[in-house]
Amino acid sequence: MIGGETDTARGSAMAGAALLAAGAALHGGAGRVYVSLLGDGAPMLDAAQPELMFRRAGALDLPALTVVCGCGGGEAVRDVLPAVLAQAPRLVLDADALNAIAADAALQAALQARAGQATVLTPHPLEAARLLGTGTRTVQGDRLRAAMELAERFRCGVVLKGSGSVIAAPGQVPRINPTGNARLATAGTGDVLAGLAGALLAGGGDAFGAACAAAYRHGALANAWPADSALTAGALARRLTP
């Protein structure tokens, strides 16, 4: 997991997204999970999840890893993206990574150059609009077309999040995920989805299959959630354990 911007003034306040994604990968079956928090003052231990192993971004052996990038990270994620896009054999891009790519033509070209490698984008409608150079209203007006256009433009798997998440990939018939409910609107559940998709890629899944399976399992857990219990992203990640 690469993300979770920190600095000495805010401490680990921005690290939650990366830790949620890492927890989802851990409970989703990824096995060994490394966390790389960006910026100064990054903690090197999560006491609630001591299984997670913290590393500086420059110490990661990217060619040997499945990488989930952009769950937090802010502007700092832009600096690590060229190496991640060039070296990671299996990659999930979320949130801040998607926004950085949308604003940088060189990063867009680097993403397109990954064609043939396992890559999954997990945008919400605004992030999708930025990547496509359009508006959220246009994306929401034809979600199927937007997901397919993203998949074709960047030659990768796409989960366009929202009510009826759309999963698309080049050469595949797109799917509309049938699971999930409004409880998934709570903060951090998108980070859980990204971490789960990364775990499924790490297990040998292809981009489209991992994206479909992650969206389905993520939503199915929300559907089965006890009516008298609040759904939080951290609890959702822990429920991923088979």
Side-chain angles (χ1 to χ4, degrees):
M1 306 297 147
I2 300 177
E5 180 185 22
T6 63
D7 61 35
T8 52
R10 290 177 292 184
S12 60
M14 299 290 286
L19 295 178
L20 285 169
L26 182 70
H27 292 289
R32 181 179 298 178
V33 178
Y34 296 106
V35 180
S36 181
L37 302 178
L38 304 176
D40 298 327
M44 296 302 287
L45 173 70
D46 179 2
Q49 301 181 100
E51 304 91 343
L52 301 178
M53 291 169 278
F54 287 68
R55 298 287 188 276
R56 300 298 182 191
L60 294 174
D61 183 11
L62 292 175
L65 299 176
T66 298
V67 177
V68 179
C69 183
C71 299
E75 289 294 322
V77 79
R78 187 185 302 270
D79 293 335
V80 302
L81 273 170
V84 168
L85 291 167
Q87 297 179 41
R90 296 164 300 277
L91 177 61
V92 178
L93 295 166
D94 188 41
D96 291 329
L98 298 177
N99 290 328
I101 290 168
D104 190 318
L107 292 177
Q108 292 174 36
L111 176 55
Q112 290 168 333
R114 289 182 54 83
Q117 294 180 284
T119 308
V120 177
L121 313 184
T122 56
H124 59 51
L126 178 56
E127 292 158 353
R130 289 169 177 158
L131 286 166
L132 292 171
T134 186
T136 306
R137 181 175 296 181
T138 300
V139 169
Q140 291 293 74
D142 194 339
R143 288 169 51 79
L144 186 62
R145 179 177 179 179
M148 293 173 65
E149 185 176 346
L150 279 172
E152 290 297 331
R153 179 175 298 187
F154 295 110
R155 309 302 298 171
C156 60
V158 173
V159 182
L160 178 55
K161 296 181 289 194
S163 180
S165 292
V166 181
I167 302 98
Q172 299 286 347
V173 176
R175 297 183 185 178
I176 298 176
N177 184 59
T179 64
N181 56 53
R183 288 185 169 196
L184 291 175
T186 191
T189 60
D191 304 309
V192 172
L193 176 64
L196 176 57
L200 295 173
L201 280 183
D206 63 278
F208 185 66
C212 289
Y216 186 91
R217 186 173 171 189
H218 185 256
L221 282 173
N223 287 346
W225 208 263
D228 60 350
S229 176
L231 188 155
T232 65
L236 183 67
R238 291 189 292 274
R239 291 277 182 96
L240 292 170
T241 300

